[in-house]
Amino acid sequence: MTDFLTNLVTAPDTADRQGADHDAAARTTGRRAAARTAEDVPAARTTGEGAPARTARRPRGFDTARRLRSLTGVDEELLARVRYERSKYTALGGVVLGTSVIAAFSMWNFATEALGGFSPVVLVPTVIWMLFVLNLDRWLVTPQPNARRRVGPLLTRLLIALMLGMVIAEPLVLRIFQTAIEQHVADERTDAIDRLRTNLVRCNPVPSTTRTITPEGCGRSYVLSFGDTPGERVEELAALRSDAAALQKRVDRDTARLEGIDSDVRNECRKLIRIAATGLYQRTSECLRLRDKAQDYRATHRTSENEKRLTRMNRRTLEIEAEQTVSRGAFLKARADGIERRLGEERAKQKGIGVLERMRALDRLAAGNPVLFVGIWLVRLLFVLLDVLPVLVKYLSGESAYDRMLTSASNSAVKIHDEEARLAERRAMANIEIAQDAIEQEVRRHRAESEAAFREHTAAMNIRVRQAVNALEDEIRRSSAV
């Protein structure tokens, strides 16, 4: 028991001493590292001739170069060790800023065309797009440790920059060729209006019958609706003309026959014969016969009635033709009004030139002109190159001293973190083992105390039993003595 208590007290003291030794070693290592850092800093700030260089001062006010370098994601403290590379990253920051400004102008042009004119609302997507492109380019050009050893991330960044450049370049290309595009769209719209007018006139002819016949190739979109049409009385007029023509032939035939008879009557009635008894002159019997024949012909063929009927039919025909002329004029006016109304609706749809319409017009212009096609793609590739320029400048300039220092610092940080993690793991495992030993010792102590208590209880019971037996024996002896 004494040995157990002694070990239990000694173990925590030993652990405390080990922890104290470890903390002291850590503090000593920290002081040594600080001393080395203090020795390195003056060395970094001295020139090759031993003369002290200018002390790095914290910039006062607005430092433009520092702000531009912040767009490249560099660490100023690490970059201070290679001061000669500051100009490189300052220029790279200017390229990133210029790309974002081009992207802002592209979005401003796109939004202006989409809204049909300038509006203060255009500034909202313009600023958002500029900040997005600025941060995306900053992420693309931010130095990464061990970047030269990984081809996948490099290709991914180049692909993202290429896609972004194509999106930004398209509105700028549309802006440059705006005059030609608008002229082409205006010509197409004029041709569309002319084709629509032609189709409306062709698909809505003046009706010649009561039955409406839609011309071939005319859909519902080209057929107009009308109230009264000239074709409603066309059949009546046609029937009336047919009857009038038939009656006219009959009247002409009867008139010709009757004129022949009348001519015979006149010729025969000129002849006079003298009556011998009276000495007077009179008509011949043939004249009288021909006159009776003419009267019988007029009565039989009803020439007077037919002529009156033909006159009425001709008068009715003229009335219907006059009504048809008025109806035709009203129909032509209604058709012209309908066509103009339809053309007005079509023109109302053509108010503003949308972005998709501009892109389609640009493609059609390029398809019909090889020189223009080459020019459009040269301008487009120029803007794509400008948008990809930050990534190209970053990765085509090669690995710099700052990149190597960043890689070294990153690898060192990873190693330090791994060692600290392993040290923390060992310390935790040691604490767990110490706690387990303490628990085992506590269990053994409790077990020993329980066994000792049990033995004491057994001894006490044995003593009581013996005392009871001795008392009984004494009682028996006293009883026997009596």
Side-chain angles (χ1 to χ4, degrees), residues 241-262:
R241 284 176 176 174
S242 177
D243 295 341
L247 184 59
Q248 183 69 45
K249 290 180 181 179
R250 182 179 177 182
V251 169
D252 291 342
R253 184 175 63 253
D254 292 342
T255 301
R257 180 64 178 169
L258 188 59
E259 286 180 354
I261 296 174
D262 290 339

Side-chain angles (χ1 to χ4, degrees), residues 150-341:
R150 296 176 295 175
V151 182
L154 175 60
L155 295 179
T156 302
R157 293 191 175 200
L158 287 175
L159 181 61
I160 293 174
L162 182 62
M163 296 298 295
L164 184 64
M166 295 178 66
V167 172
I168 294 175
E170 195 63 27
L172 298 176
V173 174
L174 295 177
R175 183 68 177 181
I176 291 176
F177 296 96
Q178 180 178 0
T179 304
I181 291 173
E182 291 180 352
Q183 182 62 39
H184 182 75
V185 172
D187 295 340
E188 285 187 342
R189 289 182 174 182
T190 303
D191 295 340
I193 293 296
D194 294 339
R195 287 194 301 271
L196 180 60
R197 180 183 286 107
T198 303
N199 290 328
L200 289 175
V201 173
R202 182 177 63 85
C203 296
N204 297 277
V206 179
S208 58
T209 60
T210 56
R211 293 176 297 177
T212 303
I213 300 176
T214 303
E216 184 179 358
C218 296
R220 294 182 178 180
S221 58
Y222 296 121
V223 178
L224 303 177
S225 60
F226 302 95
D228 298 333
T229 60
E232 294 179 353
R233 306 193 66 181
V234 169
E235 294 182 357
E236 180 184 357
L237 180 61
L240 187 60
R241 284 176 176 174
S242 177
D243 295 341
L247 184 59
Q248 183 69 45
K249 290 180 181 179
R250 182 179 177 182
V251 169
D252 291 342
R253 184 175 63 253
D254 292 342
T255 301
R257 180 64 178 169
L258 188 59
E259 286 180 354
I261 296 174
D262 290 339
S263 177
D264 293 340
V265 169
R266 286 190 300 272
N267 292 332
E268 187 63 29
C269 290
R270 288 193 187 100
K271 299 177 182 180
L272 298 175
I273 59 174
R274 185 175 181 180
I275 302 174
T278 60
L280 298 174
Y281 291 91
Q282 64 178 7
R283 307 291 182 183
T284 63
S285 60
E286 184 66 19
C287 174
L288 297 177
R289 188 185 67 82
L290 290 175
R291 282 183 176 179
D292 293 339
K293 182 179 179 181
Q295 290 177 357
D296 292 341
Y297 191 87
R298 285 188 175 92
T300 303
H301 292 82
R302 299 178 180 180
T303 55
S304 298
E305 295 178 1
N306 289 338
E307 289 177 354
K308 292 178 181 179
R309 182 183 173 190
L310 180 61
T311 302
R312 289 195 301 268
M313 293 178 68
N314 290 331
R315 187 183 300 114
R316 182 59 179 168
T317 300
L318 292 176
E319 292 176 356
I320 294 177
E321 287 179 348
E323 293 176 359
Q324 285 291 98
T325 302
V326 175
S327 178
R328 179 184 177 87
F331 175 82
L332 292 176
K333 184 178 183 303
R335 186 180 68 175
D337 294 340
I339 290 175
E340 289 300 325
R341 183 169 54 255

Side-chain angles (χ1 to χ4, degrees), residues 19 69 162 168 182 192 235 347 395-396 417 427 474:
R69 288 195 298 272
L162 182 62
I168 294 175
E182 291 180 352
E235 294 182 357
R347 291 189 184 96
Y395 290 99
L396 294 180
H417 177 268
R427 182 176 298 172
D474 293 338

Side-chain angles (χ1 to χ4, degrees), residues 338-455:
I339 290 175
E340 289 300 325
R341 183 169 54 255
R342 181 64 184 280
L343 295 179
E345 294 175 357
E346 189 67 21
R347 291 189 184 96
K349 298 178 183 178
Q350 300 177 351
K351 285 185 177 180
I353 304 177
V355 178
L356 295 179
E357 191 174 6
R358 290 176 182 272
M359 295 174 65
R360 185 168 57 251
L362 184 62
D363 291 339
R364 291 177 180 176
L365 286 173
N369 192 339
V371 177
L372 183 60
F373 177 81
V374 174
I376 290 173
W377 273 102
L378 286 177
V379 175
R380 187 173 290 160
L381 292 176
L382 173 62
F383 285 113
V384 171
L385 180 62
L386 290 177
D387 294 323
V388 183
L389 193 59
V391 179
L392 293 179
V393 170
K394 171 62 181 176
Y395 290 99
L396 294 180
S397 60
E399 187 177 14
S400 62
Y402 176 82
D403 294 331
R404 292 191 296 270
M405 292 173 60
L406 181 62
T407 300
S408 177
S410 176
N411 295 335
S412 299
V414 171
K415 292 180 181 178
I416 292 173
H417 177 268
D418 293 340
E419 293 297 332
E420 289 179 350
R422 283 193 289 270
L423 178 61
E425 180 182 1
R426 288 195 297 268
R427 182 176 298 172
M429 294 300 297
N431 293 332
I432 291 173
E433 291 178 358
I434 292 173
Q436 289 178 350
D437 292 339
I439 292 172
E440 291 177 357
Q441 291 178 5
E442 187 70 17
V443 170
R444 287 195 295 271
R445 184 177 64 80
H446 281 291
R447 187 180 293 115
E449 291 178 353
S450 298
E451 291 177 354
F454 178 74
R455 287 194 296 270

